[in-house]
Amino acid sequence: MRSLPSKAKNLQIAPFSDTLPAPIVFRSAYVPAEGMYPQHRHAWGEFVYSFSGVMEVKLADRHYLAPPQYGIWLPPDVEHVGLNRYEAVHCSLYIAPQGCGNLPRAACALTVSPLVRALLEHLRQQPPQQPGTPRDERLLRVLVDQLALAPCAGSYLPSSDDALLGAVLRMLEEQPGDNRSLPELAHAVHTTERTLMRRARRDLGISFVDWRQRLRVVKAMPLLEAGQTVETIALDLGYGSASAFITMFKRLVGTTPDEFRKGADGRINAGTK
């Protein structure tokens, strides 16, 4: 399980007490590096989306990561902690309990469609009024309907508490450019390749190869946003060439690293105005 930053800056939780001011409420915010929303819970559902960076949400028994092609859904009354390890612009969509019936009953990462992303971006640029206009309310209801149709992706980068598999995952998180093969990693923790493959299927729900590529995407995003060159990032992440890294990144994210960087720069600059 990933640890929380030791010097996290506590952020202000949304200023609602026992009830929401409307059935659906949209809120966006810029958060600094190592910003953390302390442990809390609320009676309404929440969809969390990061326009830039990688949003993290920690529950009692699970840790969710969501880069910008995913968002995190939290049903009502789920205790959680939210954080960003790097500066980011994110939003929350709060949904009253009676509006959560068609959304997943358990916390999960949801795949964000181009339409959902466009709606969220529109709402960020033109925040709904409080109280909302009929036009705002219709747009928010469309967004909730679209989220109800979104495929559930579990956690984008799942973790494991297994002594053997967890040790390997932690090694790679600390050194994502480590190119040792699965048999070599298994040997390092005194087990076999077959054992690690079996436990990866059981605990991660994806193959070890897919997990490693997702890890490198997650590690690359803040480096791109910080202005590092694609070639430097590729080499640091264990790729022999920038082209191999670009191919992997575009396959998983849907854009090239440079396209992702330009989009993130625009979102962060807009969020800090």
Side-chain angles (χ1 to χ4, degrees):
M1 189 72 69
R2 297 173 190 85
S3 60
L4 298 178
S6 58
K7 298 182 179 179
K9 307 176 183 73
N10 281 355
L11 304 172
Q12 182 180 3
I13 299 169
F16 311 129
S17 54
D18 297 329
T19 58
L20 291 173
I24 310 171
V25 177
F26 176 87
R27 174 178 178 261
S28 65
Y30 162 80
V31 294
E34 306 294 6
M36 182 172 75
Y37 293 98
Q39 186 167 319
H40 64 287
R41 66 194 304 165
H42 36 68
W44 46 85
E46 180 180 5
F47 175 73
V48 183
Y49 177 75
S50 183
F51 294 98
S52 65
V54 178
M55 189 68 198
E56 299 186 41
V57 175
K58 184 180 184 300
L59 278 59
D61 61 346
R62 191 162 294 187
H63 197 134
Y64 291 90
L65 273 78
Q69 66 268 44
Y70 295 88
I72 301 170
W73 166 245
L74 301 167
D77 295 313
V78 172
E79 201 164 69
H80 59 281
V81 174
L83 68 138
N84 281 83
R85 297 180 189 268
Y86 304 88
E87 67 174 348
V89 177
H90 79 94
C91 68
S92 288
L93 187 72
Y94 303 109
I95 306 171
Q98 61 269 26
C100 297
N102 293 326
L103 288 154
R105 296 190 178 185
C108 66
L110 295 176
T111 303
V112 173
S113 69
L115 175 56
V116 167
R117 188 177 298 111
L119 289 171
L120 292 169
E121 183 63 32
H122 172 82
L123 290 166
R124 184 181 70 82
Q125 294 182 14
Q126 301 181 40
Q129 302 175 25
Q130 287 295 336
T133 65
R135 178 184 298 174
D136 290 337
E137 293 171 359
R138 287 195 298 270
L139 188 61
L140 290 170
R141 287 198 297 270
V142 168
L143 179 54
V144 172
D145 288 343
Q146 290 300 310
L147 290 177
L149 299 173
C152 183
S155 171
Y156 180 75
L157 191 68
S159 58
S160 172
D161 291 326
D162 179 82
L164 298 175
L165 178 60
V168 170
L169 301 185
R170 286 191 295 273
M171 282 193 297
L172 294 177
E173 286 181 345
E174 292 171 4
Q175 296 290 335
D178 186 340
N179 273 327
R180 281 181 291 177
S181 66
L182 189 55
E184 290 172 321
L185 291 168
H187 180 74
V189 295
H190 310 293
T191 188
T192 66
E193 177 185 13
R194 179 174 296 180
T195 295
L196 285 184
M197 290 177 64
R198 184 173 64 250
R199 296 187 185 188
R201 288 193 297 268
R202 181 194 68 191
D203 292 359
L204 306 181
I206 56 177
S207 72
F208 181 80
V209 171
D210 287 343
W211 187 92
R212 179 180 250 173
Q213 290 183 337
R214 290 186 183 191
L215 171 68
R216 288 173 169 175
V217 164
V218 167
K219 295 292 186 180
M221 286 178 171
L223 300 177
L224 288 166
E225 292 171 0
Q228 290 195 25
T229 67
V230 172
E231 183 176 8
T232 297
I233 296 170
L235 295 176
D236 287 347
L237 293 180
Y239 289 90
S241 67
S243 61
F245 166 69
I246 291 169
T247 298
M248 181 279 298
F249 191 94
K250 185 171 184 179
R251 181 172 61 81
L252 267 66
V253 180
T255 64
T256 67
D258 278 334
E259 290 168 345
F260 173 83
R261 190 207 312 274
K262 291 174 184 175
D265 286 345
R267 289 187 289 269
I268 288 180
N269 292 336
T272 56
K273 288 180 181 177

